[in-house]
Amino acid sequence: MAIDDTSLPSRRKVLTYTGVAGLTAVAGCISTTDEEGNGNGDGNGNGDDDGNGNGNGNGNGDADGDVYEIGMVDSLTGSLADFGERNQRAKDLALEHVNEVGVGDGELEIIVEDSESESQAGVSAAQKLVNQDNVPFLIGAVGSGVSLSIYESVIQDTEVVQLSQNSTGLGLTDFPGLLRMSPSGRTQSIALADIIAEDGYDEVAVTYINDEFGESLYDAFEEAYEGEIAYDSAHNAEEASYSSLVSEMNSSEAEAWLCITYQQEFATMVTDMFESGYEPQLYGADSNRGDTVIENTPEGSMDGMKLVEPAAPEDQDNYQDFAAAFEEEYDEAPTAWSAFAYDCVVTAALSIAAADDFSGEALGEVVRDVTRPEGEEVFTYEDAHAILADGGSASDIDYQGVSGPIDFDENGDPRGSLVVFEVQDHDYEAIEFRQS
C-alpha cells in the first residue's frame, strides 16, 4: 500500500507517514514515492524524466537524482509499541535532517513494516521488504527475538545489511552479521545484580519473559548476582493475569523482585501485585519502562522501583540539538531508544553515500567504517557527508551518534553507557549514570 506524499510539506522533508495511529491504520504496509514519479522502474535504478525508477537495490532514480529506498521493521503495534512510536518519530526527524543535505545527489526513503512485536509477523515484514521491495539495507527490529528471527530466516546468507534499532538480547552477539545500535543487555544484567546487592538485598525472586531477550538477560544476571535467587520462573507473553506467578514470588519471601519482561506484561503484573497487597522492592530492565506501564497501573504501585537502561549522552551538543528538535516537533522529550533509531537512519545514509554502489554487498563493506574511531570525529550527518562529498571515504569519518560513540565491534555490538531510573510519584526519574 503506497502513501501519496504530495500533501506533505516538502519532498525534502519527512518522506514517510508519521504517527502511530496512521501507521496502524495502514496495517503495517507502508511505502513512499517521490511526488514526481510513481516508483515503477526497470529494477536497475534507471529512472526516466518523470521520476519513474524504483529499482531492485542497485539505486532508484528520479528526475532530480537518485532515491535510495531502504526498509525498516518496527513495533508499530503489540507489546513494544511504545518503542515503535518513538522510533518512528526519530526516524522521521532523521530523514528530514538527511534529506535537507542529500545522499550524494539524491535522497533517502524508508519503507516501514510492522512486526506487531512478534517474530512471525516480523519475519513476514522482512520477507516483504527484502524479496518484494528489494531493499539492500534493513533497520530492524525492536524485540531481540524478532531481530534474530529476521536474521536467521531472511537476512543470513544474503548480502542485505541488517541493523537493529533497539535489540539488547545477548544472543545477537553470536551473529556478527547482525548489527545493532543499542548495547548488549549483559551490561544491564550486571548493573542490576550490583544495584540489588548495593541496596542490601542478599536474595531475590526473579521472573523473565519466555523468549531470547528474557532468558539471556536472566542467565547473565544469575551469573553476576552473588546473592541467593530464592525463586525464578519464566512467564509467557500477553497473559490476562499473572496472579499465580506473583503469588509464587511472594511465597518465596524474597523482599526484592526482579521482573525482566515487556511493558504490557509488566503492567498486568504490577496491577496483580497491588490488588493482592504485595509490596516488594521492584527492579527491572529497559523493556519494563514506558508510558503504557504508567498509564495502566495504579497510582503509587511502583514507587521506589529501580530500572536500568541504555543512556544517551545528554551533555553532548549533538544530542542536545537532537533533543531540542524532537521536543519542538513532538512536544515530548526523546529517549535513548529514540536516539538509537535516529542513528540507524544516519548510519544507513552515510553508508549509502560512502559505498561504491547501492547494493547490499557494497553497503556491507562500509557500514562499520563510517563510525570507526580511525576517521575524523563528526557529530552531525551534514559534517560527515561534507567529507564524503569532498572525496573522502568511509574510513575518513567517525560519526559520533546522538546516542554516543558507536564503534561496532567484531560481533556487531556498539559501545554504550547506562542510566538508572527510580519510580517517584508514579513517574520515572533518572538518579544515576553508569559506564558499561
Side-chain angles (χ1 to χ4, degrees):
M1 180 183 296
I3 295 176
D4 182 4
D5 64 1
T6 56
S7 62
L8 297 179
S10 164
R11 65 186 297 272
R12 292 284 182 183
K13 294 287 185 179
V14 180
L15 298 175
T16 51
Y17 200 81
T18 306
V20 169
L23 289 165
T24 305
V26 295
C29 185
I30 302 172
S31 183
T32 58
T33 60
D34 189 289
E35 63 180 311
E36 297 178 76
N38 61 21
N40 299 314
D42 63 7
N44 294 312
N46 300 317
D48 62 26
D49 290 337
D50 294 324
N52 302 321
N54 187 356
N56 67 353
N58 296 316
N60 306 322
D62 67 15
D64 295 330
D66 290 331
V67 175
Y68 300 101
E69 271 190 350
I70 65 172
M72 183 176 190
V73 177
D74 206 13
S75 290
L76 308 182
T77 59
S79 61
L80 299 174
D82 280 359
F83 289 88
E85 178 179 11
R86 290 189 173 90
N87 286 341
Q88 289 304 300
R89 292 176 172 181
K91 176 265 298 177
D92 288 343
L93 193 61
L95 271 177
E96 180 175 352
H97 293 168
V98 164
N99 287 327
E100 283 175 349
V101 175
V103 182
D105 294 326
E107 61 186 23
L108 181 65
E109 293 187 359
I110 300 179
I111 307 170
V112 181
E113 297 289 341
D114 187 9
S115 72
E116 302 174 17
S117 304
E118 296 181 354
S119 293
Q120 183 174 350
V123 168
S124 296
Q127 288 172 332
K128 185 263 183 185
L129 290 166
V130 171
N131 299 329
Q132 296 180 35
D133 298 309
N134 299 304
V135 299
F137 196 112
L138 178 70
I139 298 172
V142 177
S144 299
V146 180
S147 290
L148 281 171
S149 294
I150 289 172
Y151 183 76
E152 294 184 284
S153 300
V154 183
I155 304 299
Q156 196 170 31
D157 300 324
T158 74
E159 294 177 343
V160 176
V161 177
Q162 182 182 354
L163 173 57
S164 167
Q165 62 271 42
N166 294 156
S167 296
T168 59
L170 278 64
L172 274 70
T173 298
D174 297 330
F175 297 87
L178 171 49
L179 308 176
R180 56 171 152 194
M181 194 60 68
S182 51
S184 166
R186 182 179 300 277
T187 58
Q188 295 183 51
S189 295
I190 294 171
L192 284 165
D194 291 342
I195 291 167
I196 293 171
E198 290 165 7
D199 287 349
Y201 296 103
D202 57 9
E203 63 177 5
V204 61
V206 186
T207 185
Y208 52 93
I209 190 78
N210 188 22
D211 65 8
E212 193 279 334
F213 167 77
E215 292 168 0
S216 62
L217 262 68
Y218 171 69
D219 288 344
F221 174 82
E222 183 182 31
E223 181 180 343
Y225 184 58
E226 295 182 355
E228 178 188 355
I229 297 179
Y231 173 89
D232 70 275
S233 177
H235 60 266
N236 294 323
E238 298 182 0
E239 297 286 348
S241 172
Y242 293 98
S243 58
S244 295
L245 171 67
V246 299
S247 177
E248 291 174 2
M249 295 180 77
N250 187 65
S251 296
S252 74
E253 298 186 355
E255 296 180 359
W257 294 10
L258 171 60
C259 301
I260 303 172
T261 189
Y262 301 132
Q263 296 163 1
Q264 178 178 320
E265 288 75 11
F266 186 59
T268 303
M269 288 180 192
V270 170
T271 300
D272 289 341
M273 293 175 199
F274 184 81
E275 291 178 349
S276 298
Y278 306 146
E279 297 181 347
Q281 170 60 49
L282 292 171
Y283 296 90
D286 58 76
S287 55
N288 293 73
R289 190 174 82 91
D291 294 342
T292 295
V293 179
I294 295 296
E295 293 165 0
N296 292 286
T297 53
E299 189 85 19
S301 57
M302 295 185 296
D303 282 357
M305 179 181 185
K306 292 183 179 179
L307 308 97
V308 178
E309 69 177 46
E314 296 184 358
D315 58 343
Q316 201 166 277
D317 288 345
N318 64 340
Y319 178 83
Q320 292 174 5
D321 291 342
F322 159 71
F326 194 99
E327 289 190 53
E328 181 178 1
E329 184 71 23
Y330 304 115
D331 196 31
E332 70 173 19
T335 65
W337 307 106
S338 313
F340 295 139
Y342 181 97
D343 281 340
C344 282
V345 176
V346 172
T347 300
L350 290 175
S351 300
I352 294 167
D356 290 337
D357 57 66
F358 188 52
S359 66
E361 180 181 10
L363 294 173
E365 291 176 354
V366 299
V367 64
R368 296 171 185 263
D369 291 339
V370 297
T371 66
R372 280 184 172 158
E374 290 80 5
E376 178 182 343
E377 284 192 356
V378 284
F379 291 84
T380 66
Y381 173 77
E382 182 177 11
D383 289 344
H385 188 271
I387 293 174
L388 296 174
D390 196 36
S393 67
S395 59
D396 292 324
I397 58 175
D398 175 17
Y399 171 62
Q400 302 287 301
V402 299
S403 63
I406 299 168
D407 302 343
F408 298 118
D409 66 16
E410 66 276 10
N411 299 314
D413 292 339
R415 296 169 59 186
S417 55
L418 300 171
V419 58
V420 182
F421 286 94
E422 184 175 66
V423 179
Q424 300 175 4
D425 298 325
H426 210 59
D427 200 3
Y428 304 104
E429 296 291 338
I431 61 171
E432 181 186 357
F433 287 88
R434 294 183 176 221
Q435 289 298 316
S436 63

